[in-house]
Amino acid sequence: MIDKITTRDLQDYFNSLIDRYSDSTIKKIWECVKQGFQGAMKQKYIKENPFEDVIKPKSKKDTKEVESLTTDEHKTLSQYLLKSKLSEEKYKNVILLELYTGMRIGEVLALSQEDIDLNKQMVYVRKIITVNKDGELVVKKGSKTYAGKREIPLPIFLIPHLEEQLKNYEENKNELLFSFEGRIIKASTINTVLKRICKQLKLPSTISNHTLRHTYGTRCIESGMTPIVVQKLMGHKDIRVTLNTYTSVLNQYKLEEFTSHSIYLFS
């Protein structure tokens, strides 16, 4: 029973997670448990909140460095997709949007015709594909975070490809730009297609939908874009997420900038 749970019980539980989970996963569990006890207080199921004195532990697992395509891998994949016909690679524009907008795969698959403005060269992120309580794929308004709703500029070379995609739109009940026989496309389906293409192009087998998103973020940092702008484009709710995700890229960029622009006072 929730009124029998003590601070020590909670602390022991969270301490047991540090060998198994990353900091980001522990943080998600932490927020869920925290909200549970806050709700219990509000409903008067408990008189005191034992969670208030619990200290969030740090994971012992190494933080994974962001994986992105190298510039050569990026070029190889991009050239293949841009040269492919829609009839040959029906999901090529899904992958191109991931690669050149940094959108999450669920955001790309939730796009409708009205979310693409070719005149303004802009894509509007307003929805995301998620799973409901019955385990079914559904279109949800908003995005993964409150900062997820955003506008992203489209590269001009993508315009003709998106024009073709819009012309080939097939009506479906969710009004999705990308659908399969009127049904919502699974992220795993795109991942399978991506793996097949990468194998064909002799690219690393570890490349996934998330790799494409991180490739966009990495290229933005490498181009000299400030982290705050990258945060807005990526839909991160906090600038710390951006800084933590792209630490190694930022450090490398700063080193290159220092080397190329420094004035050496001593020789």
Side-chain angles (χ1 to χ4, degrees):
M1 301 295 288
I2 196 167
D3 61 342
K4 304 296 183 187
I5 298 175
T6 66
T7 298
R8 171 48 54 190
D9 293 329
L10 290 166
Q11 191 66 66
D12 287 344
Y13 168 68
F14 278 99
N15 289 346
S16 74
L17 304 179
I18 61 176
D19 291 313
R20 291 184 287 158
Y21 299 116
S22 65
D23 281 326
S24 61
T25 301
I26 291 173
K27 182 182 177 182
K28 290 172 186 174
I29 298 172
W30 177 273
E31 291 298 330
C32 286
V33 176
K34 178 182 176 182
Q35 289 178 30
F37 278 92
Q38 286 175 340
M41 283 289 290
K42 187 177 284 188
Q43 296 296 326
K44 298 186 175 11
Y45 295 140
I46 52 177
K47 293 180 180 178
E48 294 182 358
N49 188 349
F51 192 83
E52 288 182 352
D53 295 321
V54 179
I55 299 170
K56 183 168 63 175
K58 187 170 179 59
S59 172
K60 288 184 178 179
K61 292 178 75 71
D62 292 334
T63 302
K64 277 187 179 180
E65 280 200 20
V66 58
E67 183 184 6
S68 62
L69 300 177
T70 65
T71 50
D72 286 340
E73 291 167 348
H74 190 161
K75 184 178 179 180
T76 298
L77 178 59
S78 182
Q79 286 182 340
Y80 171 79
L81 294 168
L82 292 170
K83 289 177 181 177
S84 297
K85 295 179 180 178
L86 195 56
S87 57
E88 298 169 340
E89 291 289 359
K90 61 181 178 180
Y91 298 130
K92 72 166 195 171
N93 290 325
V94 173
I95 299 173
L96 282 169
L97 280 169
E98 289 183 272
L99 194 55
Y100 286 104
T101 66
M103 293 168 65
R104 300 175 178 91
I105 182 59
E107 294 170 337
V108 176
L109 295 176
L111 290 173
S112 57
Q113 288 177 299
E114 63 184 15
D115 296 323
I116 306 285
D117 190 329
L118 297 182
N119 291 324
K120 293 184 179 179
Q121 292 179 215
M122 201 73 69
V123 58
Y124 300 96
V125 183
R126 298 164 171 148
K127 307 179 292 296
I128 193 167
I129 302 296
T130 188
V131 179
N132 66 14
K133 62 181 181 180
D134 298 318
E136 301 168 330
L137 290 175
V138 293
V139 181
K140 175 189 172 186
K141 287 186 178 179
S143 189
K144 186 178 178 182
T145 68
Y146 62 81
K149 192 175 179 181
R150 58 202 190 279
E151 303 174 1
I152 307 173
L154 289 168
I156 193 166
F157 60 81
L158 281 191
I159 301 301
H161 297 274
L162 293 177
E163 284 176 339
E164 183 184 17
Q165 189 70 50
L166 289 165
K167 286 178 183 176
N168 284 272
Y169 169 76
E170 294 180 4
E171 287 190 17
N172 58 90
K173 66 176 183 179
N174 291 298
E175 299 181 347
L176 299 175
L177 180 58
F178 304 103
S179 67
F180 176 69
E181 296 180 349
R183 301 194 303 271
I184 296 173
I185 300 171
K186 295 180 180 179
S188 59
T189 299
I190 306 302
N191 230 13
T192 300
V193 171
L194 183 57
K195 297 283 185 187
R196 188 254 304 158
I197 292 173
C198 288
K199 184 176 181 181
Q200 181 181 328
L201 299 176
K202 294 182 171 54
L203 295 174
S205 59
T206 53
I207 293 173
S208 65
N209 288 317
H210 216 53
T211 307
L212 305 185
R213 172 169 162 79
H214 283 316
T215 297
Y216 175 80
T218 299
R219 294 293 101 84
C220 286
I221 296 291
E222 289 173 345
S223 71
M225 197 176 288
T226 61
I228 190 69
V229 175
V230 177
Q231 177 202 352
K232 301 299 182 186
L233 290 172
M234 299 292 285
H236 292 153
K237 65 179 180 181
D238 193 314
I239 187 64
R240 287 173 295 183
V241 175
T242 311
L243 295 173
N244 290 337
T245 302
Y246 298 102
T247 299
S248 60
V249 184
L250 282 163
N251 287 342
Q252 181 61 32
Y253 173 71
K254 285 190 291 186
L255 178 62
E256 290 173 358
E257 284 291 289
F258 178 81
T259 303
S260 59
H261 297 297
S262 290
I263 299 175
Y264 293 95
L265 300 179
F266 304 101
S267 59

